[in-house]
Amino acid sequence: MTQLGRGDLGPIGVTLDVRADGGHLGDAALLERLGYATIWIAGGQLATLDPLRDVIRATETVRVGSAIIPAQVYAAEEVVALRRDLESTDPGRLITGLGGVHGPRPLRDMNAYLDHLDAADPPVPAGARVLSALGPRMLELSRDRAAGALPLLVTPEYTAQARRILGDEAILAVMEYVVLESDPRRARDTVRDSIRFLAKVGGYPQNLRRMGFTDADIAGPSDRLLDELVAWGDIEAVAARLRRHLEAGADQVVLAVQPTDPKTVPYAQWHALADALIG
């Protein structure tokens, strides 16, 4: 894989939680059998980069993406080594999702990190990487120096704006929290703490303001903010929400399925969503 194209991802991806007992490897095999086009592993779980390697080797052909490898935690040389290893055994299956650059000059720092990936032997090519992008300038960087962008906590209206910035060629994979629960209070409470945490991190507060949310919405987070950012409800309501992202220009919607009981793995939800969305 020298260039990841817009038609390569498939419309529905899914996130996978890493489990200390290794049970996530069986979960990954299940998700592949259910037909999810890409399995993404959130960066907050990457105490090492080993889970990416392990999930690829526990599955057969599905692409596996990092969402994301935090550039302020992992040196570019570690990313190069991971890709070199996996390209020798499972070529084309790793999507190198990068982000986590905070501070006063995130664009400068990300450009420098990408320079290291370009200069490596062998390089991590632009066509094999995506960037966690929110603001216009980071979306432009995703267009110019990566295969595309992987935003989180965005509305379908944002998706349409991001597609205009990215143009017709770059990939846009939108990560979406999903709660299969029709009771409004229970659905919102399932994701409220997670979104409250993220809404204070990095570029999320600024992007939420750009999308029209107030400081009070963000601090809550308010029901309005949760309803705008989360696909919740019965299967038909969730499917309709996901279609809005795809119609707005997303190439893939990545389902971050949140069970109402946080101690459980969302097997039933994965099956139901696959039946409804993948067939």
Side-chain angles (χ1 to χ4, degrees):
M1 177 181 66
T2 57
Q3 178 67 40
L4 192 62
R6 290 190 61 186
D8 294 335
L9 283 186
I12 305 295
V14 66
T15 63
L16 175 68
D17 287 342
V18 174
R19 293 199 269 150
D21 64 1
H24 61 285
L25 300 179
D27 296 344
L30 169 65
L31 293 170
E32 181 176 36
R33 291 196 300 273
L34 290 174
Y36 290 98
T38 312
I39 297 172
W40 297 87
I41 300 176
Q45 305 178 86
L46 293 176
T48 72
L49 297 180
D50 289 342
L52 295 164
R53 180 183 293 106
D54 295 341
V55 168
I56 284 178
R57 291 177 177 165
T59 51
E60 296 181 5
T61 61
V62 67
R63 284 193 171 96
V64 176
S66 53
I68 44 70
I69 295 173
Q72 289 183 325
V73 176
Y74 291 99
E77 291 76 14
E78 295 176 88
V79 177
V80 170
L82 173 70
R83 177 177 165 79
R84 182 171 56 238
D85 179 23
L86 287 171
E87 284 297 294
S88 70
T89 59
D90 298 271
R93 292 186 59 201
L94 175 67
I95 302 174
T96 308
L98 301 165
V101 175
H102 306 304
R105 297 182 178 179
L107 280 168
R108 182 200 64 180
D109 293 343
M110 181 55 78
N111 265 303
Y113 197 90
L114 298 176
D115 288 343
H116 285 296
L117 298 182
D118 289 342
D121 184 18
V124 178
R129 62 199 189 205
V130 295
L131 304 185
S132 175
L134 291 172
R137 295 177 67 190
M138 194 63 79
L139 286 167
E140 291 169 355
L141 188 67
S142 302
R143 177 195 66 204
D144 297 339
R145 300 204 62 187
L150 181 69
L152 170 65
L153 295 189
V154 297
T155 63
E157 292 75 19
Y158 170 95
T159 296
Q161 294 170 4
R163 172 49 64 198
R164 287 193 288 272
I165 293 171
L166 290 169
D168 294 333
E169 301 299 324
I171 288 168
L172 177 57
V174 175
M175 300 187 70
E176 179 88 346
Y177 279 107
V178 174
V179 184
L180 277 180
E181 172 56 61
S182 295
D183 179 82
R185 184 173 182 177
R186 193 173 186 199
R188 293 165 182 151
D189 286 348
T190 298
V191 292
R192 196 179 300 274
D193 286 346
S194 296
I195 292 181
R196 179 182 292 116
F197 170 78
L198 284 173
K200 300 174 183 176
V201 174
Y204 288 111
Q206 183 178 2
N207 198 55
L208 291 170
R209 294 185 191 102
R210 276 193 293 260
M211 290 188 293
F213 296 108
T214 67
D215 287 345
D217 286 325
I218 296 167
S222 69
D223 289 351
R224 169 179 172 256
L225 183 144
L226 296 175
D227 292 348
E228 292 280 346
L229 298 180
V230 178
W232 65 262
D234 61 18
I235 198 74
E236 290 80 11
V238 168
R241 161 79 181 195
L242 303 179
R243 281 196 299 271
R244 289 179 62 201
H245 279 295
L246 294 170
E247 291 166 358
D251 299 297
Q252 182 176 98
V253 182
V254 182
L255 313 184
V257 182
Q258 306 297 300
T260 53
D261 180 354
K263 297 179 181 179
T264 64
V265 179
Y267 294 120
Q269 294 94 326
W270 285 341
H271 278 274
L273 289 162
D275 288 344
L277 302 172
I278 301 170

